[in-house]
Amino acid sequence: MDAYKRLIVGILCALTVAVAAVVLVTHLWIAAMQVEGESMSPLLQKDEIVLAMQTGTPLKNDVIAFYHNNRIFIKRVIATGGDRVDIDAEGRVSVNGTVLEEPYVSESSLGDCDIELPCQVPSGMVFVMGDNRPVSKDSRSAEIGMVDKENIIGKLIFRIWPIARLGSL
């Protein structure tokens, strides 16, 4: 009977340590979030659940999650500090004078753009856009603007729901 009690206590301790480790990892390095809206379609669909990991400074083309007005947004990094961004009337995006190849965009669009273009991204900030350009609210709108790196939650790394689309991003 004494060995049985030790086994149960050992299992409970192992489970407690495992749960504590998962809680620490998810609160310090990885965040789970549900996709709202269609601004990142076709890469991400409404109601999918994804994981974002803190990776330090985001790079161009990373899909990131960030806070804006107590909400979480998911967008693609188009340009980083010091870059010059321009978007023509057809929605073609240029960074530092080079038109971007954007195979992830199904329809180019200037969208809801009320900022003055071309613009330069300040140091410590990123210029973000959704992949579904006609409907995305992003850095083209003064309402969202450029994203301060301090507000970035992390880079999206993995889709966990739905199971049929499980995998890295």
Side-chain angles (χ1 to χ4, degrees), residues 25-100:
V25 166
T26 58
H27 280 68
L28 296 177
W29 295 292
I30 297 176
M33 61 203 68
Q34 186 171 12
V35 176
E36 294 181 19
E38 301 295 327
S39 73
M40 286 303 293
S41 177
L43 177 67
L44 300 172
Q45 303 299 318
K46 186 177 187 317
D47 297 329
E48 289 184 337
I49 298 175
V50 293
L51 298 177
M53 185 170 92
Q54 294 178 2
T55 58
T57 302
L59 304 174
K60 292 176 191 169
N61 215 29
D62 284 350
V63 177
I64 62 167
F66 62 93
Y67 291 110
H68 176 73
N69 287 343
N70 296 320
R71 289 188 56 208
I72 295 174
F73 287 80
I74 297 172
K75 306 291 177 193
R76 186 177 301 274
V77 175
I78 300 300
T80 58
D83 289 333
R84 191 168 179 78
V85 178
D86 199 7
I87 307 169
D88 68 18
E90 286 79 42
R92 287 185 298 265
V93 180
S94 299
V95 176
N96 300 325
T98 303
V99 176
L100 299 182

Side-chain angles (χ1 to χ4, degrees), residues 11 22 29 45 52 60 71 75 94 131 135 144 147 149:
I11 290 172
V22 167
W29 295 292
Q45 303 299 318
K60 292 176 191 169
R71 289 188 56 208
K75 306 291 177 193
S94 299
D131 290 356
V135 301
I144 302 289
V147 178
K149 289 181 182 176

Side-chain angles (χ1 to χ4, degrees), residues 39-43 76 104-107 129-133 136:
S39 73
M40 286 303 293
S41 177
L43 177 67
R76 186 177 301 274
Y104 43 81
V105 174
S106 56
E107 182 182 351
M129 294 175 75
D131 290 356
N132 189 357
R133 300 289 163 77
S136 180

Side-chain angles (χ1 to χ4, degrees), residues 112-147:
D112 185 18
C113 184
D114 63 359
I115 63 168
E116 187 175 324
L117 292 170
C119 64
Q120 187 158 11
V121 181
S123 179
M125 302 192 97
V126 295
F127 189 99
V128 297
M129 294 175 75
D131 290 356
N132 189 357
R133 300 289 163 77
V135 301
S136 180
K137 264 229 191 287
D138 47 42
S139 292
R140 296 173 292 174
S141 166
E143 181 183 335
I144 302 289
M146 297 190 207
V147 178

